[in-house]
Amino acid sequence: MVQHIESVAQWVQQFADILQPERIQWVDGSAEEWETLTQQLVDDGTFIRLNPEKRPNSFLARTDPTDVARVEDRTFICSAREEDAGPTNNWREPGKMREELIEVFRGAMRGRTLYVIPFSMGPIGGDISQVGIQLTDSPYVVVSMHLMTRVDNDRVAEQIANGAEWVPAVHSVGYPLIDENGDARPDVPWPSNPTKYIVQFPETREIWSYGSGYGGNALLGKKCYALRIASAMGHDQGWLAEHMLLIRATSPAGRSYHITAAFPSACGKTNFAMMRPTLPGWKVETLGDDIVWMRPKADGRLYAINPENGFFGVAPGTGVTTNPNAIEALSENVIFTNVALTDDGDVWWEGLTPEVPEHLIDWRGRDWTPSSETPAAHPNSRFTVRADQAPSIAPDWDEPAGVPVDAVLFGGRRRTNTPLVVEARSWRDGVYIGATMASEQTAAAEGTVGQLRRDPFAMLPFCGYNMADYWGHWLEIGETLGEGAPHIFGVNWFRRAADGSFLWPGFGDNSRVIDWISKRLENEVTGESSLLGILPKHEEFELEGTEVSDEDWQALFALDPEAWLHETDDVERYFKIFGSRVPQPLRARLEELQAALEAEANR
Ligand code: OXD
Ligand code: MN
């Protein structure tokens, strides 16, 4: 048990002295623990138990309306030197941040239970897996961690006893039940604090989080560990931690391809990961929907695992037509957060069904009817469910060795400019596509929805060190892999026609893009050379059964050199932010592209 490991016991005691909880509970991940804690959450008013005949063992939580998304402006990368955090991260000097946070943490758990959660990211003991221990005063976090990570006291203890490095992660919602004068105050259904800190110390591999109980702010195995801390570990140790989904696509001929894809938050990663292909004979199996860890192995290939154990998916837009696999996965054992409640004790959100219920209780607990002016479910409302409940889950998704990656996709939400699919001619050009990705902002983080922002590799909020060094790390991994490197593609499902309608049907029809990618991997088609890379020829691409007209097809790939020169000017300005740290090969690619676009514009 982890409580018998001296380094762990000491660390827990050190924080217990600061946080001053009423008691400490060592979490074991068992079914009994789930039972007890979910019932306690119901009794305390945090959870509503859903109608067991409709959705057994499932719960609805409503957060405080001010605690609904990741708080990027309160997320800090505290490396020893500011330049190592880089211009895209908020930086604070680690010593100062520690002092400030210890004061904030002091007494933060008065009157509450301190839960100690030993967990593994990835199958316990796997050669790409890693362990951690989270402290929290939120039982909602404990049961969510049960679903999202492998919580197991004995087996994690065994890893640590055998020398595994463990990441300490401290979390408090910042709502003590007893103030410094010893006066009690009542609890609320969703305790949180208006002041929030999501802090990573990449060099010492520590996470300190305060004030929020929601999602990536509070389930510290996810964004804080599996992306911010793990990206820094990977940089030092020669591997990659990425904001990517992972699937296996099998062709009608029975050939399987492992594909990872990076899309910014709330751009359909979960839908893509659980796709039901419309192209006859294709099958897609899910391995992961949000994060992959990848390591080059001795056979010269890049191997990937999904370090998570569950899906924390955006609910709105997930429906029987858009993602039937997710809908099946959600039939039992689910924690829903900030969706609407139906009159018969079930859940609903925009896009779940084409028909809209006559009456609901919205995510804020208020009566709602179709004439209400606000959505019934919060745009960033979520479901939390174990990965193996998805009917599309690959039978070997849990294999510690991981799978060899054949193709890497980078995509954003772009109305204009970016083609449906383009293959990079080289690893360098692929890294350029990843580094210059941009997307229209969604509701997953606070900020203005719809604004275009550069989101390199979909890692803008998640890279635990200088983004330009991260690009350099990708270039180095490419060199290590050489011939065995996956092919890299840029994709965009969101291009619009002049009238504002989507040019591409998306969802299951994205299997058509996979089909073309597989033909490129097999060298069965040549594609067509363009300034941006290799584009599909019309005749190489399966469109039968879609309503994509010739005109739509042209528009999906139209390249306007003037518009692209604006794009490359913007990239040039973006690169300037990183100064001399931008790797030379990426500057060279930018210059090459600018010269080619200028020649094209002057023709
Ligand atoms: C997520 C995100 O929660 O990217 O996966 O915001
Ligand atoms: Mn994500």
Side-chain angles (χ1 to χ4, degrees), residues 471-494:
W471 301 335
H473 183 50
W474 262 82
L475 291 168
E476 273 171 31
I477 294 275
E479 276 176 27
T480 306
L481 292 167
E483 288 293 296
H487 289 212
I488 301 180
F489 298 81
V491 295
N492 176 25
W493 323 135
F494 300 97

Side-chain angles (χ1 to χ4, degrees), residues 223 243 265 269 290 462:
K223 305 299 187 181
H243 192 204
S265 308
K269 286 221 301 296
D290 194 40
F462 306 124

